[in-house]
Amino acid sequence: MSTVPDAQTGRPLACSIGDPAGVGPELICKAWTRREAEGLPPFFVVGGAGLLAQAASGRGLDVPIEVIDDAADAASVFGEALPVLGSGDIDYSPAEPSRGGAKLALDSLESATGLVMLGEASGLVTGPVSKGLLATVGFEHPGQTEFLAHACGIAADEAVMMLAGPNLRTVPITVHCALAEVAAMLSIRLIGRKAMIVAEALARDFGIERPRLAISGLNPHAGEDGKFGDEEARIIVPAIEALRAAGIEASGPHPADAMFTPRARAGYDVAICMYHDQALVPLKALDFDAGVNVTLGLPIVRTSADHGTAFDIAGKGIADAGATIAAIRMAGEMAARRAMHG
């Protein structure tokens, strides 16, 4: 049975600001205004004190900003003001992305990651970024998940992206690649290794003692006995058998078009899917405003709201803070469980 510990570790969470032209700044401000109602653990933002103040005032939010010199000061400040660590800043220009904004986003991400790795913060909550813009300022990774794997010194396939919401958890085996490349990338080892990381993380970080993993097929109808491809018989079934032999409760391969109904979801704790959209489409359909991107397999806690920069609505005050609040709450709960179990 899963239990949720008090999300207090003695150390605050570190939030990277994301692209300052996107919805990240206003969502962080909205989350802070709902800190008591939502029971959020203390967090601080790395960089952007001025732009956060502008984002708040532009939306009519009462969000005092206090610059802190040390992460340890965040907890004492958090009740009365939004703590911000670091001097990096830029003018708030919603819906007007720029290289300067991308540079601030990258600096914030790198600094926040470093603080968590040094143990000065209990977990990392990353703001949404524009990968294309980050590439113009020296970011060499497909996404933040891959950046974090590199920063933590682990192989890219050891960092597993899980999307989690109130109704569903999903994991894509292959992530940022063309659909035409998926079949060639799949292997018994890749599926087995990622599924093992997921099972270990659900037990350690989510309090699920014996996680139930539902593993999808790749092809329509899970291949229908080889009519629509042999990846199920050749790769996915052997991977499931190896997981079961290792004591993991794994089922499948399930036809992807039938594994996300309410009845099907009641039978598992996480859906392991073969490619990006197979996992993300149902999660976003069911839990878009509360979906959290969690990186499993890292030595640190990392979560993020499961949406992008939304430049088209940035600064209009209509962005929903639900996913940001859920990401902060989940990071706090994961950090508390890790602290509780050492």
Side-chain angles (χ1 to χ4, degrees):
M1 180 178 178
S2 175
T3 58
V4 179
D6 182 5
Q8 303 294 328
T9 66
R11 294 170 295 146
L13 299 169
C15 297
S16 66
I17 199 163
D19 194 299
V23 294
E26 63 189 275
L27 295 181
I28 289 173
C29 290
K30 287 180 178 179
W32 183 84
T33 65
R34 292 165 57 181
R35 65 199 180 284
E36 293 182 359
E38 300 288 349
L40 298 182
F43 62 86
F44 64 92
V45 186
V46 178
L51 80 88
L52 286 164
Q54 294 172 41
S57 64
R59 302 277 58 80
L61 299 172
D62 181 17
V63 183
I65 305 295
E66 183 166 336
V67 177
I68 57 176
D69 297 320
D70 191 285
D73 298 331
S76 61
V77 168
F78 186 72
E80 303 300 327
L82 175 60
V84 178
L85 180 65
S87 58
D89 214 344
I90 193 172
D91 284 338
Y92 182 53
S93 300
E96 297 179 15
S98 65
R99 290 186 79 251
K103 180 66 166 57
L104 176 62
L106 180 55
D107 289 346
S108 178
L109 174 62
E110 291 177 337
S111 296
T113 301
L115 289 165
V116 179
M117 292 179 67
L118 288 170
E120 296 183 32
S122 61
L124 172 66
V125 181
T126 58
V129 295
S130 166
K131 300 178 185 69
L133 279 171
L134 283 182
T136 69
V137 294
F139 190 73
E140 299 177 348
H141 305 277
Q144 295 187 95
T145 298
E146 293 85 354
F147 162 82
L148 289 164
H150 178 77
C152 292
I154 67 173
D157 64 358
E158 296 286 301
V160 177
M161 182 173 76
M162 182 173 79
L163 296 310
N167 297 293
L168 180 66
R169 298 184 190 94
T170 63
V171 171
I173 292 295
T174 62
V175 186
H176 297 122
C177 65
L179 187 58
E181 300 170 357
V182 169
M185 293 177 68
L186 293 176
S187 68
I188 298 170
R189 180 196 173 278
L190 181 66
I191 296 170
R193 182 62 188 134
K194 288 201 170 188
M196 287 289 290
I197 290 170
V198 172
E200 291 166 1
L202 288 180
R204 178 185 62 177
D205 296 334
F206 290 81
I208 303 172
E209 290 184 14
R210 186 169 175 79
R212 300 165 299 165
L213 280 56
I215 299 179
S216 78
L218 171 67
N219 299 297
H221 301 190
E224 199 162 306
D225 296 324
K227 284 185 179 180
F228 307 129
D230 67 352
E231 288 84 5
E232 284 76 15
R234 184 167 50 86
I235 299 171
I236 302 174
V237 168
I240 293 171
E241 291 173 346
L243 287 166
R244 289 173 178 164
I248 303 298
E249 192 169 330
S251 63
H254 299 279
D257 65 345
M259 68 185 294
F260 300 107
T261 64
R263 180 178 297 177
R265 296 198 310 272
Y268 58 80
D269 298 301
V270 62
I272 308 288
C273 301
M274 295 301 111
Y275 57 91
H276 184 278
D277 286 10
Q278 196 180 55
L280 271 68
V281 167
L283 188 286
K284 292 190 175 184
L286 290 167
D287 292 324
F288 185 82
D289 289 328
V292 179
N293 182 336
V294 190
T295 306
L296 309 179
L298 297 177
I300 63 173
V301 169
R302 181 266 177 150
T303 67
S304 179
D306 184 34
H307 59 68
T309 54
F311 290 132
D312 57 325
I313 62 170
K316 296 181 180 179
I318 60 176
D320 191 306
T324 298
I325 289 168
I328 293 168
R329 180 185 296 111
M330 188 175 292
E333 292 171 356
M334 291 173 67
R337 284 195 179 95
R338 289 197 183 190
M340 184 169 61
H341 296 294

